[in-house]
Amino acid sequence: MGGGTTYIDVLEALYPIGSLYLGTQDTCPLETLGIGTWTKLNSGRLLQISDDSHTADTTIEAGLPNITGRVSEFRYGSQINGANGAFNQTETASPAKVILVSETTDREVQSVSLDASRSSSIYGSSTTVQPPAYVINVWKRTL
């Protein structure tokens, strides 16, 4: 390397503050070479390429698509009619007996629905599920 440029100068130019180093080592080799200060990221997150809705150096919380469904008609002694979503319509040889109890008054069931987000906020907070992952160490240059 001519003109007084050293390999340290080249590495400093290639890895400015804010850069990430990915590897399976337990320590960042660039820091052991004297190239800046590196902080190991320990948040248990997957890496994702930025896009119009998610900019670089931000995080996205975990989530699952919501599970929903509806039964449009439910009759005593008959199968479920008009099921969709998380519900399935099946025929049985001897339908199960359904008993509905109300503390105030007897009511006819006109609609039954399912919304998993009512049981846990993780449902419905995303449109995808985590894919299989290979775990690595990630360091971010901080100085």
Side-chain angles (χ1 to χ4, degrees), residues 103-126:
E103 294 178 3
T104 57
T105 180
D106 292 334
R107 295 181 186 191
E108 181 179 328
V109 176
Q110 296 176 353
S111 178
V112 176
S113 64
L114 170 70
D115 183 341
S117 68
R118 294 179 59 148
S119 66
S120 173
S121 62
I122 198 166
Y123 290 105
S125 63
S126 176

Side-chain angles (χ1 to χ4, degrees), residues 1-118:
M1 290 186 208
T5 302
T6 66
Y7 79 95
I8 297 290
D9 295 329
V10 171
L11 290 174
E12 287 277 355
L14 289 174
Y15 294 99
I17 293 173
S19 295
L20 298 179
Y21 179 85
L22 313 175
T24 56
Q25 307 89 336
D26 288 330
T27 57
C28 181
L30 292 169
E31 189 165 24
T32 58
L33 289 172
I35 310 300
T37 302
W38 296 79
T39 303
K40 186 176 178 183
L41 304 180
N42 290 317
S43 63
R45 294 184 179 270
L46 294 175
L47 296 178
Q48 179 172 320
I49 296 172
S50 65
D51 58 21
D52 291 338
S53 59
H54 302 96
T55 59
D57 205 27
T58 61
T59 58
I60 303 169
E61 296 307 314
L64 294 171
N66 199 9
I67 301 171
T68 61
R70 182 178 52 82
V71 177
S72 61
E73 189 176 334
F74 189 85
R75 290 186 230 150
Y76 174 77
S78 69
Q79 70 180 28
I80 298 172
N81 295 311
N84 72 15
F87 291 100
N88 187 18
Q89 181 173 330
T90 59
E91 245 181 90
T92 60
S94 57
K97 187 174 188 178
V98 177
I99 300 172
L100 300 173
V101 178
S102 172
E103 294 178 3
T104 57
T105 180
D106 292 334
R107 295 181 186 191
E108 181 179 328
V109 176
Q110 296 176 353
S111 178
V112 176
S113 64
L114 170 70
D115 183 341
S117 68
R118 294 179 59 148

